[in-house]
Amino acid sequence: HIDSSKYYNNEHLIAQAINESEAVRRDELFIASKVPPKDMGYDSTLRAFEATCQNLQTDYIGTSQYIYMDLF
């Protein structure tokens, strides 16, 4: 299980680690991500999800959740 988020600033690092890994294949990983409050709404959520998949260099993620934290 890999936990990612735009605000963790780790999506590109996760993509790099997956691409460089010889021990673990992408289909063996469960990747979770989050949608920040500013991206809530149907169209905004779709754009955020597409950006996350692009940043992670993957076609899919296991789950995406809405989050709310005071720092947003």
Side-chain angles (χ1 to χ4, degrees):
H1 178 157
I2 297 174
D3 190 24
S4 71
S5 171
K6 174 182 178 178
Y7 289 100
Y8 295 170
N9 200 27
N10 67 353
E11 293 176 341
H12 289 90
L13 295 173
I14 290 168
Q16 181 181 354
I18 291 170
N19 289 331
E20 292 177 1
S21 175
E22 296 179 12
V24 180
R25 295 186 329 263
R26 167 61 186 97
D27 63 351
E28 297 177 287
L29 300 172
F30 184 88
I31 301 175
S33 190
K34 290 146 201 84
V35 176
K38 72 174 191 69
D39 291 328
M40 289 186 183
Y42 184 79
D43 292 331
S44 295
T45 298
L46 288 178
R47 284 191 298 273
F49 178 79
E50 289 170 3
T52 292
C53 285
Q54 185 176 28
N55 292 339
L56 289 167
Q57 299 176 18
T58 188
D59 294 332
Y60 66 97
I61 57 174
T63 187
S64 184
Q65 308 160 341
Y66 283 113
I67 59 167
Y68 177 79
M69 294 171 50
D70 289 336
L71 60 97
F72 299 117

